[in-house]
Amino acid sequence: DVRCGEIFVIMGPSGSGKSVLLKHLVGLEHPTSGRVMIDRHEITSPELLSKYRIAMVFQSGALLSSLTVAENVGLYLREHRLKPKAEIDRIISEKLAIVGLQGTEDKTPTELSGGMKKRVAIARALVMDPQLILYDEPTSDLDPLISITIGEEIVRMREATGATSVVVTHDRDMGFGIADRMAIIRHGEILAM
């Protein structure tokens, strides 16, 4: 169980099933047994999909290299034609400011450091004002100082938005530093909470 508004960290070694669990939580994979529920609704139910906004920050950041930072952040809003252009531009600026990247709108992902790319991915997740944000190994491939910054960003996002956060990681320092509660997973099984 994950409580509303908390940062719930799932830790475990590489290959333990953390990312697979996240894919189940977002509905990209379906369990062979058991159910994934949010507020008594199956994760794949149309009722849930119309009621809750869920965002995922992928391990690699999943930024499109052919797009600028602004285009990457605003992609969801533009593709779904949810807002007029002026409002999308305002939202992009607002979300980039939240993650400390104002002024980077015209840069491409190749011009950014690893930590900046992770923060752009977080800003992109925030444009939909999600109630649940899933983070897949947010500090992988980052040096320890940048990892601390990303951990602080996750805490700030929760404080700023009130969103529930589920973070999967093998980064023990970051996990213990940001978790309200934590689970340890190994070979797809929860060992401790």
Side-chain angles (χ1 to χ4, degrees):
D1 291 332
V2 177
R3 299 174 188 148
C4 185
E6 78 176 335
I7 297 175
F8 189 83
V9 173
I10 302 168
M11 286 186 44
S14 295
S16 62
K18 301 181 307 292
S19 295
V20 171
L21 178 59
L22 273 191
K23 289 176 183 174
H24 281 83
L25 293 178
V26 79
L28 293 175
E29 291 190 19
H30 303 287
T32 54
S33 65
R35 298 185 306 174
V36 179
M37 312 275 293
I38 295 179
D39 195 23
R40 296 179 301 279
H41 300 288
E42 290 274 349
I43 191 72
T44 56
S45 80
E47 186 174 323
L48 179 111
L49 296 174
S50 67
K51 187 175 180 182
Y52 293 99
R53 292 174 309 281
I54 303 170
M56 185 160 174
V57 178
F58 292 92
Q59 182 174 347
S60 65
L63 301 179
L64 300 173
S65 59
S66 62
L67 301 180
T68 66
V69 166
E71 290 167 338
N72 268 287
V73 172
L75 186 63
Y76 173 80
L77 298 174
R78 284 194 179 99
E79 287 295 311
H80 293 279
R81 297 185 176 136
L82 297 175
K83 310 270 183 193
K85 184 187 179 326
E87 190 170 351
I88 291 172
D89 292 343
R90 181 193 59 75
I91 291 168
I92 291 167
S93 294
E94 173 187 297
K95 302 310 180 189
L96 285 172
I98 287 172
V99 298
L101 289 176
Q102 55 273 50
T104 62
E105 290 84 353
D106 295 328
K107 292 186 180 294
T108 62
T110 58
E111 298 175 277
L112 304 175
S113 69
M116 292 171 82
K117 289 176 187 176
K118 296 280 184 174
R119 289 189 287 155
V120 170
I122 293 169
R124 183 179 57 198
L126 292 176
V127 299
M128 62 189 304
D129 294 321
Q131 293 122 319
L132 173 61
I133 305 175
L134 307 172
Y135 297 89
D136 188 9
E137 297 284 2
T139 59
S140 67
D141 302 326
L142 299 178
D143 67 58
L145 290 177
I146 299 299
S147 294
I148 291 168
T149 302
I150 296 301
E152 290 169 348
E153 283 302 326
I154 292 169
V155 172
R156 280 190 340 102
M157 290 310 97
R158 190 268 305 270
E159 291 169 357
T161 66
T164 303
S165 299
V166 176
V167 181
V168 299
T169 186
H170 63 270
D171 182 339
R172 194 184 76 171
D173 293 335
M174 196 268 301
F176 281 106
I178 67 170
D180 293 317
R181 290 187 316 127
M182 181 179 293
I184 308 297
I185 190 171
R186 185 170 175 193
H187 303 301
E189 305 238 351
I190 301 291
L191 299 178
M193 279 184 84

